[in-house]
Amino acid sequence: MYDDEKRSRLRDGMVIPAHPLALTADLRLDEPRQRGLTRYYLGAGAGGVAVGVHTTQFEIHHNGLYEPVLRLAAEEAAAVAPNPAGGSRALLVAGVLGPTDRAVAEARLAADLGYDLALVAMNGWGDAPEADILAGVAAVAEILPVFGFYLQPTIGRRSFGYEFWRRYAELDGVEAIKIAPFDRYATIEVIRAVVDAGRADRIALYTGNDDNIVADLLTPYRFGPTTVHIVGGLLGQWAVWTPAAVALHAQARAIVRAGAPVPLELLARAAQLTDANSAVFDAAHRFAGSIAGVNEVLARDGLLAGNWCLADAERLSAGQAEQIDRVLAAYPDLTGGAARLDDPKALATGPTVAVRDGTAAP
């Protein structure tokens, strides 16, 4: 249950990995590894997980896997980080996909499973008018508090400007916004909209800009008398090498809180992380291999059995594996600390779920 304690931790800042989907070679849900991933993230010190988002593969919203995947994460979170009042102390964020009818139904399901917030992916509305999207977000907020989401236009196929985000920030029930346009101009525009809406003290700002993580966390965004910071990240990049990500986030937040100078070494690491992300997310091919790249790294760390994805188009691009080799060798400080879970005894057991003809069956 989302309460004042979770709200305080959300506003203080946390690491929230975008949870991948564990599959077997025949594209069944790999339940043991799916559970193991959740335990890995929370054991690494992440404040929560986001499930049903782009990194989880949007296909699960259409093939019957949405409910079982969300349920597995909620069960593991409650076991790893139990809340005395029930459920989990970890923050659980459910990705919900438009249009409105589906987003509302998915929010209801997530609420029933114990999720705290709904991350609303607006690409499901297609080319609908912005007013329709805002009405859909407001409808979701009546069921679960909302984590706004500016999905990068390369994937979401749409950009949103200042006026949209100003109206978004004024909606009741918006608790946070993930800013992920991969664009400095658009990032500042969203932050300015939140400040101008008078919601800077109520809406937690999170980076989703996997290409600019450290700079986003360190920068004071100043508009007149108001200065705000991005306090955390909800990131696909943080689905890999999560212990190192938790340490990096803690370092950045300590510098911001103390008002201390930023060490040049940290800026060097910021550039290294962007370079590493370019390989994992396949920037050279306009992010075509981003999900497969995340899965490839997790497979190399023993957390997944392979880099398989539900969509045929989701696969490593030519040369991407070699780029991942390069950054693994070049930046051990960024990539160290991955806990291997290839020991079957370390994984929960359970049935797989077959995906056939657009439906899921046990």
Side-chain angles (χ1 to χ4, degrees):
M1 181 182 68
Y2 188 64
D3 54 20
D4 288 343
E5 190 267 341
K6 287 185 177 180
R7 179 179 291 109
S8 177
R9 287 194 287 120
L10 178 70
R11 292 179 180 176
D12 193 48
M14 61 174 64
V15 168
I16 306 176
H19 204 305
L21 178 68
L23 295 172
T24 61
D26 57 355
L27 302 188
R28 293 172 177 263
L29 175 62
D30 187 340
E31 181 174 321
R33 285 185 170 83
Q34 191 71 28
R35 290 181 180 274
L37 279 175
T38 305
R39 293 200 306 278
Y40 165 64
Y41 295 132
L42 299 182
V49 290
V51 190
V53 296
H54 175 247
T55 308
T56 326
Q57 304 183 41
F58 283 140
E59 286 77 13
I60 71 167
H61 293 261
H62 311 289
N63 67 6
L65 284 179
Y66 183 74
E67 187 277 338
V69 168
L70 263 65
R71 175 174 45 79
L72 291 178
E75 290 175 355
E76 288 304 314
V80 172
N83 189 330
S88 172
R89 289 189 69 250
L91 192 79
L92 295 178
V93 181
V96 305
L97 191 62
T100 301
D101 287 350
R102 178 167 57 204
V104 166
E106 290 183 347
R108 288 196 179 108
L109 188 154
D112 289 344
L113 291 172
Y115 278 72
D116 300 297
L117 298 123
L119 184 82
V120 184
M122 297 181 295
N123 53 313
W125 275 272
D127 296 327
E130 290 185 353
D132 291 356
I133 297 174
L134 291 167
V137 173
V140 170
E142 293 180 2
I143 301 162
L144 275 178
V146 164
F147 208 127
F149 184 14
Y150 194 163
L151 179 62
Q152 63 155 303
T154 304
I155 295 171
R157 310 298 180 189
R158 189 165 179 178
S159 298
F160 297 91
Y162 169 87
E163 291 298 333
F164 175 85
W165 288 108
R166 172 72 182 262
R167 287 181 287 160
Y168 198 116
E170 291 171 347
L171 294 174
D172 291 336
V174 177
E175 291 283 325
I177 296 176
K178 169 181 172 170
I179 308 169
F182 284 43
D183 181 309
R184 306 287 74 75
Y185 300 113
T187 294
I188 293 170
E189 207 165 44
V190 176
I191 299 170
R192 182 166 63 89
V194 172
V195 171
D196 290 350
R199 298 297 181 95
D201 60 339
R202 295 178 54 184
I203 294 177
L205 299 175
Y206 274 64
T207 183
N209 292 319
D210 304 79
D211 65 337
N212 199 55
I213 296 169
V214 178
D216 274 0
L217 292 170
L218 292 172
T219 301
Y221 297 90
R222 185 170 295 123
F223 304 94
T226 303
T227 299
V228 297
H229 287 86
I230 291 174
V231 297
L234 196 164
L235 295 156
Q237 178 60 47
W238 282 354
V240 302
W241 314 320
T242 309
V246 170
L248 187 64
H249 173 258
Q251 182 183 7
R253 291 299 291 151
I255 289 170
V256 169
R257 292 188 185 106
V262 177
L264 288 178
E265 177 59 29
L266 185 56
L267 295 181
R269 292 188 69 198
Q272 293 171 353
L273 183 56
T274 297
D275 186 24
N277 177 256
S278 74
V280 177
F281 270 35
D282 192 29
H285 299 93
R286 294 182 60 79
F287 310 103
S290 60
I291 296 175
V294 169
N295 290 356
E296 172 69 13
V297 174
L298 292 170
R300 294 186 186 202
D301 285 334
L303 292 157
L304 291 181
N307 65 28
W308 307 296
C309 299
L310 292 170
D312 288 340
E314 294 282 358
R315 59 183 63 202
L316 292 182
S317 295
Q320 188 179 359
E322 290 74 16
Q323 286 300 307
I324 292 173
D325 290 339
R326 177 182 65 82
V327 299
L328 285 170
Y331 310 130
D333 289 344
L334 292 177
T335 62
R340 298 182 63 84
L341 289 181
D342 43 1
D343 179 0
K345 294 180 180 178
L347 297 169
T349 58
T352 60
V353 176
V355 181
R356 301 189 186 92
D357 303 321
T359 61

